[in-house]
């Protein structure tokens, strides 16, 4: 489950974005929630996460956070993903 699962940090923003700012490109973020959320997917097995750097870069880009949330793949999510991709 650890190898196949993923963890996500969702940053809820005060204002809508049309695209991920160039300053944040290195973090490979996904834009969601109609432009109000930035989603960072990371490896829970890695020794260090890039979350502190991400938060510094978000601040440097002038984005204001409203809230943040973390989620982790459930066993059901992993199973559905395996079946969908025929593994």
């Amino acid at each position: 489950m650890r190898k196949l699962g993923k963890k996500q940090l969702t940053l809820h923003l005060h204002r809508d974005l049309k695209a991920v700012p160039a300053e944040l490109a290195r973090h490979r973020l996904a834009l969601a929630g109609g432009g109000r959320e930035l989603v960072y997917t990371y490896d829970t097995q890695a020794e260090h996460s890039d979350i502190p750097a991400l938060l510094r870069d978000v601040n440097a880009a002038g984005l204001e956070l409203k809230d943040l949330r973390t989620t982790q793949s459930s066993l059901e999510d992993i199973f559905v993903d395996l079946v969908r991709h025929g593994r």
Side-chain angles (χ1 to χ4, degrees):
M1 189 165 162
R2 281 187 184 162
K3 283 184 179 181
L4 299 174
K6 61 183 174 183
K7 197 158 186 178
Q8 293 183 320
L9 171 66
T10 303
L11 306 172
H12 300 271
L13 307 171
H14 274 284
R15 63 180 174 90
D16 294 350
L17 296 177
K18 297 211 183 309
V20 176
E23 307 95 277
L24 302 176
R26 74 182 185 106
H27 298 288
R28 296 183 305 267
L29 301 169
L31 195 58
R36 285 268 172 146
E37 299 173 350
L38 291 172
V39 181
Y40 174 62
T41 302
Y42 59 100
D43 180 7
T44 59
Q45 298 298 306
E47 191 170 319
H48 300 286
S49 77
D50 211 19
I51 293 173
L54 169 62
L55 295 176
R56 282 191 300 273
D57 291 348
V58 165
N59 186 50
L63 301 178
E64 290 185 47
L65 296 180
K66 185 176 182 180
D67 196 6
L68 56 93
R69 175 187 75 217
T70 59
T71 54
Q72 188 167 350
S73 301
S74 68
L75 187 55
E76 180 181 356
D77 296 332
I78 294 168
F79 177 75
V80 169
D81 191 48
L82 287 172
V83 170
R84 183 178 299 136
H85 294 100
R87 292 184 190 165

